[in-house]
Amino acid sequence: MNIHEYQAKELLAKFGVPVPAGHAAMSVEEAVDAAKQLPGPLYVVKAQIHAGGRGKGKFKELGPDAKGGVRLAKTLDEVRAHAAEMLGNTLVTIQTGEAGKQVQRLYVTDGVDIAKEFYLALLVDRASGRIAMVASTEGGMDIETVAHDTPEKIHTLDIDPATGFMPHHGRAVAAALGLTGDLAKQAANVAAKLYDAFLGTDASQIEINPLAVTDDGKLMVLDAKVGFDSNAMFRHKDLAELRDLTEEDEMEVEASKYDLAYIKLDGDIGCMVNGAGLAMATMDIIKLNGAFPANFLDVGGGASKEKVTAAFKIILADPAVKGILVNIFGGIMKCDIIADGIVAAAKEVDLKVPLVVRLEGTNVEQGKKILAESGLAIVPANDLGDAARKIVAEVQKAA
C-alpha cells in the first residue's frame, strides 16, 4: 500500500525525521490558507499523486509548455494560480504512462534554500533477508539513471535484524554521502530515525529524494515516498486509513474486497488461476504461444463459489480481454466449486469471449461434468500446454 507525500512526511515527522512545514489542500482556497500558515516568503506547491517524476511531468490539459507538478510561488496569488491549474487536471509523468493521473490533492510546503541534494532509501533486500539502506550523492536525479550511468555513486548497506541500526551504520551512511562534522552526525541521526520508521510501520520502502542540506547547515527531507507491506496492515489500522482508492486501479480495488490477488497487465488474455506460482507459469506459457496475459489473478487455495464468480466478473470488466484461460489445480480448492463459479459468472455477465478451462485435482470429474452440461461454449483442455495453445487459437479465430 502506498501513500501520498504529505502523508509520508507527517508520518516520518512522528519518528523525529526533519521535514519542512507543510499542509495538504483539497481546493484552491485550502491551498492559499495552507500558505498563510507558513513563514514564507517562498512556497512550494506540489501535486499529490502516487507517481514519481512530478516536477518534470506535464498536465494534459495545459499544453506542452506548462509547468510541471512541483512549482515555486513567491506570493499567495501565485499559490492560488498554481493550485487552480493543478487541481482537477491530469498530470502525466514518466511513471504514470500516457494516461496520467488526475490531481485531487495538493501539498503546500515552506520553501527551502538548498545547498546540496542527496538520495537515501530503505527497502527489503530479499537476497539477504535484511533491510538495505541505499545512499547516493546524486540526489534529485532519477536513481535509475544514476544506477545505469554511474553505479559507483550508489552505496548499499545491509543491516542485520539481530543487531538493528548501530552507530557504525550511521557513520557509513554519512561517509557514503560525503558528509563530515555536524552534518555527518545529522545524517546518522536521520538514517537511524528512518530505520525506526521502517520497522515501526512495517514499510516495504522508504525513499527520500532529495535529502537536502540547507544553506543554514540543516539536513532535511524534502520529498518522501513510502510504501507498506499490505499483509501487515492488520497491525496498523491507522495506516490503513491513509489508503487513497482513487489512486489505484478500479479492478484491483474491487478484487481486494474479495481478498483476490489481482494485477492488471497489458495483454488481451484474461487469466484465473489458483496459486501464485501456477499463475506465473500460466502467464509465461501464454507468452510462449505468442500472446500476452491481461492480468495476474490468483483466487487462492480455498475460494468459495462467490469468490470465483467475483474473480470472473473482474476479468471480464477489462475491455481489453478477448479471451479467458482458467487454470485450476484442485487441492484445497475443489474443481466442482470452481466449475460452479465459472458457470454462474458466465451466465450472469453474458459471456461473449472465448473461454478455455483446464481443471485438475480434487473433484475434477465432477467439475468437468458441470462445465460440459452448462450449455456454454467452454473449450476444455487436458493440460497447461494444451490450454495455452487453445486459448491463443480461439482468440485469433475470433479476431
Side-chain angles (χ1 to χ4, degrees), residues 101-122:
K101 288 192 174 184
Q102 187 180 62
V103 177
Q104 300 179 352
R105 310 183 189 198
L106 299 175
Y107 187 35
V108 183
T109 72
D110 197 29
V112 175
D113 293 321
I114 303 171
K116 176 65 177 172
E117 295 182 339
F118 305 100
Y119 177 94
L120 184 61
L122 290 86

Side-chain angles (χ1 to χ4, degrees), residues 104-149:
Q104 300 179 352
R105 310 183 189 198
L106 299 175
Y107 187 35
V108 183
T109 72
D110 197 29
V112 175
D113 293 321
I114 303 171
K116 176 65 177 172
E117 295 182 339
F118 305 100
Y119 177 94
L120 184 61
L122 290 86
L123 48 86
V124 177
D125 184 344
R126 299 190 183 278
S128 66
R130 299 179 176 184
I131 295 174
M133 198 165 277
V134 182
S136 176
T137 56
E138 305 306 295
M141 296 180 61
D142 295 328
I143 196 65
E144 295 83 3
T145 301
V146 178
H148 181 270
D149 297 341

